Amino acid sequence: MALQLNINWPEFLQTYWQKKPVILKNAFPNFVDPITPDELAGLAMEPEVDSRLVSQVDGKWQASHGPFTQFDDLGETGWSILCQAVNHWHMPSAELVRPFRVLPEWRLDDLMISYSVPGGGVGPHIDNYDVFIIQGMGRRRWRVGDALPMRQFCPHPALLHVDPFEPIIDEEMAPGDILYIPPGFPHDGYTFEDTLNYSVGFRGPNGRDFLSGFADYALENDLGGVHYADPDLTVREHAGRVEGFELDRAREMMIDMLRQPEDFKQWFGRFVSTPRHELDVAPAEPPYAPEEVLDALTGGETLVRLSGLRVLNVDGSFFINGEAYRPADAAAADVLSRYTEVTHDMLGDALHNPAFIAELAGLINQGYWYFDE
Ligand code: SIN
Ligand code: CO
């Protein structure tokens, strides 16, 4: 049964999204943890999974990155294990992200899961992304302060904390409650119990990310080969001065590159369809022949997208996992970008297009989609 998430999205977006934090009580009614602390600890031992262990003993913070080989000497208090992008590796947990598909996929970062014992937590900090923190097992007291300028410091080289803050939210969350926090609001979770928290994070790249991403694209595609030119040059009294109009001309050259709509779209599509965390890609073994793909769909099988794979329709151009995808059937490609599970009837006329079926077989064989048994 699909997981029920009770959020009035239009109201939430208008009042809270990127504006102010809020606790959404019982947003997941009858919440059942999709993962156990042991399973999470197991993931933190996998080299592909980005994991951390954060601990605090008598106010002294420690942090280390996985993969971990054992968790034997941890004791019963003062530590947390955190795993990033669990939605890429653990399918029952990935279900938690699904109800958030009312928000654009390109803004989604990942599902981070933390397991904390009494006194555990990562300490007071600020994030640069929007996060929906779902309370799972246990109760945890969450405090959130206002987005005011604050001093940040490193109590350990791998941790960035903020000074103590005055809370605008101070509440104990119960399983199924969600705390939404926009970027910039300091927060801290404290627990007296063993607790699981699920953070569905949305990240907006900053201007620096965009600019360096575009620069990489320009280099790879030999854009911007035109050199600065000044056929109108005149004799200078002061050879050491760069004039304002020269500065403007250089800036215009750069802006012109960004102004090319097709280049901009091709770059943006690749950029935002590149996942920030490793995917669990397993090529189909043995590979499918196109007829087998058609047979499976006709026989009622569901085609499931690899969890975390980004399939985007950027203003009519398609991108999969950081690469341009020029589909044989645009309507079917739109269906692939819109839904994470696809059945026969959704693909329409494309099923009669051998070029599309061959292309689909290629995507399945790459491990990007698979048939649900
Ligand atoms: C946690 O789950 O302990 C930390 C989540 C966060 O503060 O973003
Ligand atoms: Co945080």
Side-chain angles (χ1 to χ4, degrees):
M1 202 182 79
L3 205 58
Q4 189 193 341
L5 172 59
N6 293 333
I7 294 183
N8 178 335
W9 284 106
E11 192 183 292
F12 169 83
L13 291 173
Q14 202 185 350
T15 312
Y16 300 108
W17 175 254
Q18 298 239 306
K19 299 168 200 72
K20 56 181 178 191
V22 63
I23 288 193
L24 307 161
K25 292 296 288 177
N26 206 24
F28 277 115
N30 311 313
F31 186 81
V32 177
D33 285 284
I35 196 166
T36 63
D38 275 349
E39 285 175 289
L40 191 70
L43 283 176
M45 293 177 161
E46 301 287 341
E48 301 84 4
V49 178
D50 178 5
S51 60
R52 282 190 304 157
L53 174 66
V54 179
S55 65
Q56 186 200 181
V57 181
D58 301 329
K60 187 167 163 33
W61 290 90
Q62 296 287 344
S64 52
H65 279 272
F68 299 96
T69 49
Q70 49 90 14
F71 295 104
D72 296 341
D73 345 300
L74 282 174
E76 275 160 29
T77 58
W79 55 267
S80 292
I81 296 172
L82 306 97
C83 291
Q84 295 294 143
V86 179
N87 55 317
H88 295 193
W89 303 100
H90 188 257
M91 289 318 98
S93 298
E95 287 295 314
L96 287 182
V97 179
R98 203 189 273 259
F100 292 89
R101 280 184 70 84
V102 291
L103 305 176
E105 180 175 302
W106 76 268
R107 296 278 281 103
L108 175 72
D109 192 8
D110 71 335
L111 172 73
M112 189 278 281
I113 305 184
S114 69
Y115 170 60
S116 307
V117 298
V122 297
H125 66 279
I126 292 176
D127 292 315
N128 290 319
Y129 41 85
D130 298 87
V131 64
F132 294 86
I133 302 178
I134 304 162
Q135 182 63 43
M137 179 181 93
R139 298 174 72 90
R140 192 169 186 191
R141 180 178 169 194
W142 284 94
R143 297 167 65 256
V144 186
D146 208 349
L148 303 170
M150 295 188 82
R151 185 180 76 99
Q152 299 196 64
F153 61 97
C154 297
H156 176 277
L159 290 172
L160 186 60
H161 279 180
V162 289
D163 276 340
F165 54 84
E166 216 27 70
I168 53 172
I169 288 178
D170 185 349
E171 231 178 286
E172 191 176 75
M173 296 222 295
D177 293 349
I178 294 182
L179 168 60
Y180 164 73
I181 311 173
F185 287 74
H187 53 279
D188 191 16
Y190 192 83
T191 178
F192 295 102
E193 303 177 12
D194 287 1
T195 171
L196 282 166
N197 282 97
Y198 304 83
S199 294
V200 182
F202 288 81
R203 189 187 182 87
N206 64 19
R208 192 160 56 227
D209 299 330
F210 279 153
L211 208 55
S212 77
F214 189 80
D216 290 342
Y217 179 81
L219 288 172
E220 279 158 27
N221 294 278
D222 283 331
L223 302 186
V226 178
H227 288 262
Y228 182 89
D230 46 5
D232 50 355
L233 190 69
T234 52
V235 172
R236 292 286 169 79
E237 248 175 67
H238 185 339
R241 247 182 86 92
V242 176
E243 299 298 338
F245 71 85
E246 293 176 302
L247 215 52
D248 290 343
R249 205 175 273 185
R251 184 186 298 113
E252 278 306 309
M253 272 178 74
M254 292 178 68
I255 294 173
D256 260 352
M257 285 174 66
L258 295 170
R259 257 199 213 108
Q260 306 305 317
E262 195 51 34
D263 284 331
F264 193 81
K265 182 156 85 167
Q266 289 299 321
W267 158 68
F268 196 79
R270 286 169 173 77
F271 187 72
V272 297
S273 66
T274 303
R276 296 195 341 111
H277 303 276
E278 199 171 323
L279 296 169
D280 187 14
V281 191
E285 199 47 63
Y288 281 80
E291 313 80 71
E292 293 174 301
V293 170
L294 192 55
D295 283 350
L297 284 167
T298 312
E301 287 189 46
T302 300
L303 204 48
V304 181
R305 186 198 296 181
L306 173 69
S307 191
L309 181 79
R310 283 156 199 244
V311 183
L312 299 172
N313 173 345
V314 183
D315 195 24
S317 296
F318 294 92
F319 299 87
I320 301 178
N321 202 29
E323 288 177 20
Y325 160 47
R326 295 191 177 78
D329 187 298
D334 188 56
V335 168
L336 291 177
S337 70
R338 184 165 180 179
Y339 304 100
T340 54
E341 294 190 356
V342 170
T343 54
H344 177 273
D345 294 351
M346 296 162 79
L347 291 171
D349 290 344
L351 293 170
H352 307 297
N353 179 347
F356 176 74
I357 297 298
E359 192 174 277
L360 194 55
L363 292 167
I364 294 168
N365 292 336
Q366 257 181 290
Y368 286 173
W369 273 266
Y370 58 90
F371 283 109
D372 197 14
E373 296 89 51

